Amino acid sequence: MTQIGGVQLWGLGVTLQLILAAALHQGLATVAPTTVPTTAAPHKDPGRPDRGDYEVKSSNGTVCLRASMGLQLNVTFSSLSQNKTVQGVLNLQPNKTRTSGSCDPDSASLRLITDADKTSLNFSFTLNTTSNKYHLSEVSLSADWPDMKDAVLAHNNSLDYLRGSLGFSYMCREEQTLKVTQNFSINTFQVQLQPFGLSGNQFGAAEECQLDEDDMLIPIIVGAALAGLVLIVLFAYLIGRKRSHAGYQTI
Ligand SMILES: *[C@@H]1O[C@H](CO)[C@@H](O)[C@H](O)[C@H]1NC(C)=O
Ligand SMILES: *[C@@H]1O[C@H](CO)[C@@H](O)[C@H](O)[C@H]1NC(C)=O
Ligand SMILES: *[C@@H]1O[C@H](CO)[C@@H](O)[C@H](O)[C@H]1NC(C)=O
């Protein structure tokens, strides 16, 4: 009888293990980097961009805007070599990028220029002084890549991305796509930034983006399932031991 009970409990354990394995597999599948298939693009998928560390200083020399992030530009343009509209993907190379910008009480901007790629990218952040929340409100791009028939200019001043609270930094480890216009979007990687209220040139405490929080749920669920499984196995073992002990004593 005890053996049958033990087998049933072990059977339950194995089922749980299978569920767990499935959950883990699911988790890994969603965490694994997704490679974007490029169809007839002149610029092939350039891989993950390097993470750059960009700073803007105010007139008194203190850092007033700080951003660490990897940036990938996705631009639709008409190609000289292919004589049609194509998608070009360019990784910003931090060591070839010049930084400038400005900081005002309720607005701040970061300009990134790479001469080699004839690309100029400008981010503007706005602080709402009532709610003490900031966000990325405006992005503009000018790009004149070798294969472009005409230089591309893109601009949008009604954006609402990268929202954070005054005194805190915005953080997002997961890749995000910021759609700026029909023809231009930015893929961001491993972002930490703060456009207002830095203390001593350093980032304030980080506010994690929703994507990251969702991602952290997977290990938490898996961990809880694992703990449950361990308890069940331990329980089954203890019951089994107690009964077999009892068996020995009666003999
Ligand atoms: C670039 O944008 C196009 C459409 O806007 C999209 O289909 C493509 O997947 C994007 N590529 C990358 C690498 O993000
Ligand atoms: C600033 O935040 C307040 C409170 O959330 C809101 O009512 C107001 O519309 C915001 N101002 C702007 C310019 O967005
Ligand atoms: C600017 O961004 C907003 C919000 O994402 C979008 O609704 C709007 O169409 C964009 N404007 C242009 C010119 O692409």
Side-chain angles (χ1 to χ4, degrees):
M1 281 302 266
T2 44
Q3 261 176 346
I4 291 170
V7 166
Q8 277 173 339
L9 277 170
W10 276 110
L12 185 65
V14 169
T15 323
L16 271 172
Q17 236 163 349
L18 286 177
I19 293 170
L20 193 71
L24 263 170
H25 185 77
Q26 195 82 17
L28 288 176
T30 51
V31 166
T34 48
T35 45
V36 183
T38 45
T39 46
H43 302 255
K44 297 210 174 59
D45 184 349
R48 252 179 117 87
D50 287 337
R51 195 174 190 222
D53 226 320
Y54 308 108
E55 291 181 354
V56 177
K57 287 186 173 154
S58 59
S59 48
N60 67 9
T62 59
V63 176
C64 57
L65 182 159
R66 187 170 180 156
S68 294
M69 54 193 173
L71 295 173
Q72 186 174 70
L73 312 182
N74 185 349
V75 182
T76 308
F77 64 91
S78 78
S79 157
L80 274 177
S81 61
Q82 300 188 55
N83 205 23
K84 64 172 183 181
T85 301
V86 298
Q87 230 104 52
V89 178
L90 177 86
N91 285 347
L92 228 60
Q93 291 175 272
N95 56 1
K96 293 183 182 159
T97 301
R98 284 188 289 129
T99 310
S100 60
S102 63
C103 295
D104 291 304
D106 61 357
S107 70
S109 74
L110 170 67
R111 180 179 289 271
L112 302 174
I113 296 174
T114 57
D115 296 311
D117 297 310
K118 290 194 181 165
T119 300
S120 167
L121 180 65
N122 195 74
F123 295 95
S124 298
F125 297 87
T126 305
L127 177 70
N128 181 330
T129 49
T130 312
S131 62
N132 281 340
K133 302 272 187 196
Y134 61 80
H135 68 278
L136 174 66
S137 53
E138 182 174 349
V139 170
S140 59
L141 169 82
S142 88
D144 193 3
W145 301 346
D147 194 34
M148 284 179 173
K149 199 172 270 175
D150 305 296
V152 169
L153 301 173
H155 176 237
N156 192 332
N157 63 0
S158 53
L159 301 176
D160 187 11
Y161 294 126
L162 317 180
R163 290 191 292 264
S165 309
L166 183 61
F168 292 85
S169 58
Y170 169 91
M171 184 180 244
C172 205
R173 288 178 243 262
E174 287 285 295
E175 177 182 353
Q176 271 192 100
T177 299
L178 314 180
K179 191 169 168 28
V180 179
T181 64
Q182 201 65 38
N183 297 333
F184 173 47
S185 60
I186 305 171
N187 298 325
T188 66
F189 299 78
Q190 292 249 310
V191 178
Q192 185 169 17
L193 65 79
Q194 190 171 342
F196 301 98
L198 280 98
S199 52
N201 298 347
Q202 298 303 314
F203 283 129
E207 285 180 339
E208 201 99 12
C209 66
Q210 191 62 47
L211 279 170
D212 286 0
E213 282 177 2
D214 292 349
D215 213 45
M216 271 188 286
L217 270 180
I218 295 165
I220 289 171
I221 291 168
V222 169
L226 203 63
L229 185 66
V230 166
L231 279 180
I232 287 170
V233 168
L234 196 67
F235 193 60
Y237 170 74
L238 287 178
I239 288 178
R241 224 168 77 122
K242 204 171 173 187
R243 292 204 180 164
S244 64
H245 261 291
Y248 276 122
Q249 276 166 352
T250 48
I251 288 169

